Amino acid sequence: MPFRKIFRLGRFALAPLLTLPLAGCAKHSAWWIFNPKGVGASASYDYMMIDVIVMLSIVGITGLLIVWFLWKYQKGSKRGKYDGKWAHSNILEVLFWGIPIVAVGFLSWAVAIHGSFAVNPYNPTVVTKHVKPNGDPVDVDVIATDWQWLFVYPQFHHMAVANELVLPAHTPVLFKLTSTAVTTDFFVPQLLGMIDVMPGMRTKDALLSNTVGTYQGIAADYCGAGTSWMLFKTHIVSMADFQHWAKGVEANPRTMDYRQFNRFAEPYINVHEKTPEYGHVEPGLFDHVMLEVMNGKKWPLPMFMTENMFHYLKIQAAEHRA
């Protein structure tokens, strides 16, 4: 076999191996993104796979037929009979039009309609159907700054934790989200889908996980110099462990009112993964921040922060900021 033909075939064989270096992007498993641990993420994954399988089936069958036609009707092969007068086939018309119509109809019902209600972030039925008549879900107010996350638990003495999210397993969690600065995205790939977090606006999302563990949360939209460090761990723990943890945070003497929040919201690159806890924050802080931003409140970004980030990080480290 000529070398050129061997090389051409080898490229296709080696192509899947080129994806192996991407395993370095995952901390534990190269396929963690395909291992959902929340009911919302599982539903999104299932609907995505339905879409992919249906479309790949059509594309795959089409590709096989093309290869078969090329082989059967290859010039000089005498494997296929040529009919110069052929012009129409009812069977082929039904196949060419019927299969796409059935596929589009099925995807419209299974994914576009049923799936949209199931994972709609404002009222995901896969989560809300687990809310018990006499059981309260856990509420979490999420405030994104440049470049940190503040998670406030209104039902637990308005305690708050920055850059770390702790939630109970087997319990629906309802999020309200807003931002002080630019639009970003709240995303925990293994637990729930991506949702925009916008300044002066309130968005919603919901989460339910039955699997205890720690999962990576990210700011999934580029929002400035500190985006790469705008990460947060999401810990799913048992209800007993969650209540024990909540009591510990509530006992923390550190508090936050709106004046202190102004300091917290100043642009800050969290390179050391600090997770300060606040035993109590000002009630209504979420709404207060949102209304202030709507009225034009800004936390200016120092120009030298982006012009010389290394120098700025040295100044930031000297502040000993919590």
Side-chain angles (χ1 to χ4, degrees):
M1 185 180 292
F3 174 77
R4 185 171 295 178
K5 189 172 183 180
I6 294 175
F7 177 74
R8 190 181 300 118
L9 295 175
R11 285 187 304 174
F12 296 103
L14 291 175
L17 297 178
L18 296 177
T19 63
L20 290 179
L22 295 177
C25 299
K27 191 171 183 180
H28 301 293
S29 168
W31 307 106
W32 66 274
I33 193 68
F34 299 107
N35 185 24
K37 297 297 184 180
V39 296
S42 295
S44 296
Y45 175 80
D46 292 341
Y47 290 121
M48 179 186 71
M49 293 310 297
I50 290 173
D51 200 352
V52 170
I53 290 172
V54 171
M55 299 308 296
L56 279 182
S57 298
I58 297 175
V59 173
I61 292 173
T62 302
L64 291 175
L65 287 174
I66 291 174
V67 173
W68 182 74
F69 277 115
L70 290 174
W71 173 81
K72 184 174 179 63
Y73 297 102
Q74 184 181 11
K75 183 177 181 181
S77 66
K78 298 182 180 180
R79 286 186 288 265
K81 181 180 179 181
Y82 174 71
D83 183 0
K85 296 182 179 180
W86 181 89
H88 181 76
S89 170
N90 289 330
I91 295 177
L92 291 179
E93 289 289 342
V94 170
L95 291 175
F96 292 159
W97 290 99
I99 292 177
I101 290 174
V102 171
V104 170
F106 172 74
L107 291 176
S108 299
W109 170 80
V111 178
I113 297 176
H114 191 268
S116 295
F117 285 105
V119 298
N120 170 28
Y122 278 60
N123 186 28
T125 57
V126 294
V127 174
T128 55
K129 70 180 181 181
H130 293 280
V131 177
K132 299 177 182 179
N134 297 322
D136 293 329
V138 173
D139 294 326
V140 180
D141 294 343
V142 182
I143 304 176
T145 69
D146 282 344
W147 290 270
Q148 299 191 81
W149 298 95
L150 183 67
F151 302 109
V152 182
Y153 297 75
Q155 297 156 313
F156 296 87
H157 195 60
H158 291 277
M159 67 179 190
V161 182
N163 309 313
E164 186 175 56
L165 184 60
V166 181
L167 302 171
H170 309 288
T171 304
V173 180
L174 305 181
F175 296 101
K176 291 192 304 182
L177 309 100
T178 192
S179 170
T180 61
V182 298
T183 298
T184 185
D185 284 304
F186 180 78
F187 190 25
V188 188
Q190 288 185 273
L191 297 179
L192 81 167
M194 187 187 308
I195 184 73
D196 281 342
V197 186
M198 296 175 283
M201 298 182 66
R202 182 218 62 198
T203 51
K204 294 182 179 181
D205 211 339
L207 179 155
L208 172 64
S209 177
N210 299 322
T211 306
V212 172
T214 299
Y215 309 98
Q216 183 65 65
I218 60 176
D221 199 356
Y222 181 75
C223 57
T227 303
S228 300
W229 294 273
M230 198 174 175
L231 307 172
F232 61 93
K233 295 292 185 184
T234 301
H235 305 283
I236 304 297
V237 300
S238 67
M239 178 56 77
D241 289 341
F242 175 77
Q243 291 175 341
H244 177 74
W245 169 84
K247 289 179 180 178
V249 177
E250 287 176 337
N252 193 307
R254 179 183 292 164
T255 62
M256 176 186 286
D257 57 18
Y258 183 68
R259 181 184 60 81
Q260 292 164 324
F261 175 81
N262 279 325
R263 171 64 173 159
F264 175 85
E266 292 176 359
Y268 180 80
I269 301 176
N270 191 28
V271 294
H272 298 297
E273 300 181 356
K274 295 180 179 180
T275 57
E277 298 177 348
Y278 303 89
H280 179 76
V281 301
E282 178 182 311
L285 179 66
F286 181 92
D287 292 335
H288 191 174
V289 170
M290 186 172 62
L291 291 173
E292 286 289 287
V293 175
M294 290 176 63
N295 291 326
K297 173 69 176 179
K298 298 182 184 300
W299 288 265
L301 176 67
M303 210 54 178
F304 62 86
M305 178 183 284
T306 54
E307 292 176 348
N308 189 341
M309 186 184 293
F310 178 74
H311 177 66
Y312 172 77
L313 290 176
K314 289 176 63 177
I315 297 175
Q316 177 180 285
E319 293 179 351
H320 301 290
R321 181 171 169 179

